[in-house]
Amino acid sequence: MKLESKKILILAGSHFQIPVIKYAKDQGHFVITCDNKPSNPGHKFADKYYNISTTYLDEILTVSKKEKIDGILAYGSDIAAPAAAYVSEKMGLPGNSFEAVTKLTDKGLFRKFLLDNNFNVPEFKVFSNLKDTEAYYNSINYPVFVKPVDSSGSKGVTRVDSQSMINNAYHDALKFSRKNEIILEKEIKVKGPHIHGEGFYYNGELKFLLLGDQYFSKVNKCAPLSTTLPGMFHREIMAEIRSNIISLLSKIKFITGGLNIEVIINPKNKIYFLEIGPRNGGNLMPELAELASGFNLAAANVNAALDYQIDFKYSIKTSTFYAQLILHSNKKGIFIKPDIPERFKSNEVTSLIYYSKGDIVEKYLGSQNVIGIILYKFSDIDNYKEFLDYILHNNLVKLQN
């Protein structure tokens, strides 16, 4: 049954926002989209579009008041999440506080929150100039990660293990920071793959959580290759991770909304939260989670933003395996096609390819260089393991010679 029509502002209109735009339209709602990229494909499904950056808080608030929106949603984008919280707080709409969302989307603030609240956190420091960054690194003697404090998708992230790398790493990170700040984090020894997945928090309760094993590219060790569901490597610690997530969200005063979560475990089984993004989406992760559980995260996000009831009936499948593959290139070249063996074609569920034959693609440095996403389903564990072994050790796209 369709609900009473309301007006919703969805921040951004990329491929990743299309599911929430289409769901809201299917429910009869008036959909407004907003970003500074008029060519984004999601805008054609909306009723109205504003050409305003999703980082311009007051401009988006002005539009929201003008349009008398009933709800606002950031989906698939950490960058847009503060604006959604800012507007919802100013207008008394469903959502989270600007303070809570800012703490979750700013790496420096998030690390400080973890430290102040007795969660495990790597040694870290935030900088806004190269001289202090270099001096600090020269005073320590271990590998670090250099990151922009307010970006996502592995953009501008570098692992540094020598003084000669600091200058380039600093400037690479700064290019992606709107605050002109970077963070240095001590490298944590990791046990097994990273843990990554989606969650949904509703009125103070963690109603949905599905975490899997995350693997990284051999081209760029800081950029993801694949997340597979359900997680197999860290099953014994999942209950503790869940408990820690609930505690963290309670202390940060998060109320309702989607979550994109990344965790690492060290050899002593200590839990480290790398990210708890206050949104679902990105790289078809909500679609992967729905395949593995039946829970529609796009619907949950729209209904939460408009204060409608959410259907939390789902069943996580434990005997079938699902994999997301982030297509990328090991070098700059002319794209021909994905280069995945034909024997895995029958396992393919859906694909989203951004490039056409003859387009120039870049070496994989971060999400800005992703060529496409493919989702897979495996009923046989041996077939799934064969696929995983292939993508971990081979190039994924065919380039022109």
Side-chain angles (χ1 to χ4, degrees):
M1 176 185 291
K2 290 189 178 181
L3 305 170
E4 177 190 352
S5 178
K6 291 188 176 184
K7 187 179 284 191
I8 185 170
L9 173 58
I10 294 174
L11 298 177
S14 76
H15 289 284
F16 300 141
Q17 285 79 46
I18 288 176
V20 288
I21 296 169
K22 283 188 170 182
Y23 175 81
K25 285 293 298 176
D26 287 347
Q27 296 301 305
H29 301 307
F30 188 92
V31 177
I32 305 165
T33 55
C34 175
D35 63 20
N36 60 353
K37 295 180 179 178
S39 62
N40 268 341
H43 302 312
K44 67 183 179 183
F45 300 106
D47 295 289
K48 200 168 188 179
Y49 164 69
Y50 283 89
N51 187 350
I52 302 172
S53 168
T54 58
T55 64
Y56 291 177
L57 307 187
D58 288 316
E59 288 87 339
I60 292 173
L61 177 62
T62 298
V63 166
S64 300
K65 289 179 175 178
K66 172 188 170 184
E67 293 288 347
K68 299 179 181 178
I69 64 170
D70 300 294
I72 184 168
L73 175 60
Y75 184 88
S77 171
D78 282 334
I79 291 172
Y86 183 77
V87 169
S88 66
E89 191 171 64
K90 293 286 187 181
M91 294 182 64
L93 302 174
N96 295 288
S97 74
F98 182 68
E99 180 182 6
V101 168
T102 301
K103 285 179 180 177
L104 289 170
T105 54
D106 183 302
K107 292 178 177 63
L109 297 178
F110 184 52
R111 295 291 179 262
K112 185 177 185 304
F113 167 82
L114 294 172
L115 184 65
D116 291 345
N117 288 274
N118 300 313
F119 292 97
N120 298 320
V121 61
E123 185 177 336
F124 72 96
K125 204 156 187 179
V126 175
F127 296 98
S128 57
N129 68 77
L130 178 60
K131 182 179 178 182
D132 290 344
T133 305
E134 289 180 322
Y136 176 72
Y137 184 79
N138 289 338
S139 72
I140 61 179
N141 190 27
Y142 44 68
V144 299
F145 289 98
V146 178
K147 308 175 181 180
V149 297
D150 53 352
S151 187
S152 60
S154 303
K155 293 190 286 288
V157 178
T158 305
R159 182 185 183 275
V160 172
D161 57 13
S162 69
Q163 193 275 338
S164 64
M165 298 177 67
I166 278 291
N167 188 302
N168 285 342
Y170 173 84
H171 286 104
D172 284 346
L174 206 64
K175 283 190 298 188
F176 293 98
S177 175
R178 297 178 305 283
K179 287 181 69 177
N180 292 316
E181 290 182 352
I182 63 98
I183 186 170
L184 264 70
E185 297 177 2
K186 180 180 178 180
E187 182 181 42
I188 301 296
K189 297 294 183 184
V190 178
K191 175 184 173 183
H194 287 210
I195 300 167
H196 176 235
E198 302 291 301
F200 201 88
Y201 201 70
Y202 184 68
N203 289 340
E205 290 186 53
L206 186 58
K207 303 290 283 187
F208 176 80
L209 182 66
L210 183 52
L211 302 177
D213 302 325
Q214 186 181 41
Y215 300 91
F216 286 77
S217 168
K218 65 186 180 70
V219 181
N220 178 0
K221 301 292 186 185
C222 297
L225 164 70
S226 176
T227 295
T228 62
L229 299 175
M232 298 177 66
F233 196 93
H234 296 288
R235 286 177 177 172
E236 77 287 347
I237 205 166
M238 287 298 184
E240 186 179 351
I241 291 172
R242 181 186 181 91
S243 176
N244 273 252
I245 292 170
I246 292 168
S247 174
L248 189 157
L249 294 173
S250 174
K251 288 180 179 181
I252 214 165
K253 296 183 171 58
F254 191 79
I255 301 168
T256 288
L259 302 165
N260 184 269
I261 299 161
E262 186 179 351
V263 185
I264 58 173
I265 309 297
N266 79 356
K268 295 183 179 179
N269 281 337
K270 285 189 175 181
I271 297 167
Y272 289 82
F273 289 104
L274 295 185
E275 307 280 351
I276 297 189
R279 50 82 185 176
N280 289 125
N283 290 336
L284 299 186
M285 278 302 300
E287 288 79 359
L288 188 74
E290 185 174 4
L291 285 173
S293 68
F295 183 51
N296 187 337
L297 282 161
N301 276 270
V302 171
N303 288 333
L306 295 175
D307 201 24
Y308 280 130
Q309 187 173 351
I310 299 169
D311 182 0
F312 286 108
K313 293 177 187 159
Y314 61 87
S315 177
I316 295 173
K317 301 163 189 175
T318 57
S319 59
T320 309
F321 307 94
Y322 301 87
Q324 163 226 47
L325 176 60
I326 300 175
L327 285 175
H328 58 271
S329 179
N330 65 338
K331 62 181 180 180
K332 183 175 181 176
I334 299 174
F335 178 68
I336 296 180
K337 64 177 182 177
D339 195 11
I340 310 299
E342 188 65 27
R343 64 184 181 274
F344 300 122
K345 187 67 178 176
S346 63
N347 300 105
E348 185 179 314
V349 177
T350 188
S351 66
L352 179 60
I353 310 299
Y354 307 131
Y355 291 81
S356 300
K357 184 178 180 180
D359 289 345
I360 294 175
V361 295
E362 300 289 338
K363 181 179 177 180
Y364 189 35
L365 299 178
S367 60
Q368 70 273 22
N369 307 127
V370 170
I371 292 172
I373 315 291
I374 307 178
L375 302 186
Y376 293 87
K377 174 183 177 180
F378 300 91
S379 301
D380 179 82
I381 190 169
D382 291 330
N383 191 22
Y384 157 71
K385 288 180 177 179
E386 182 187 359
F387 171 81
L388 185 59
D389 181 71
Y390 181 86
I391 65 172
L392 286 171
H393 297 102
N394 292 275
N395 296 329
L396 303 174
V397 298
K398 188 173 183 179
L399 303 179
Q400 185 173 308
N401 294 327

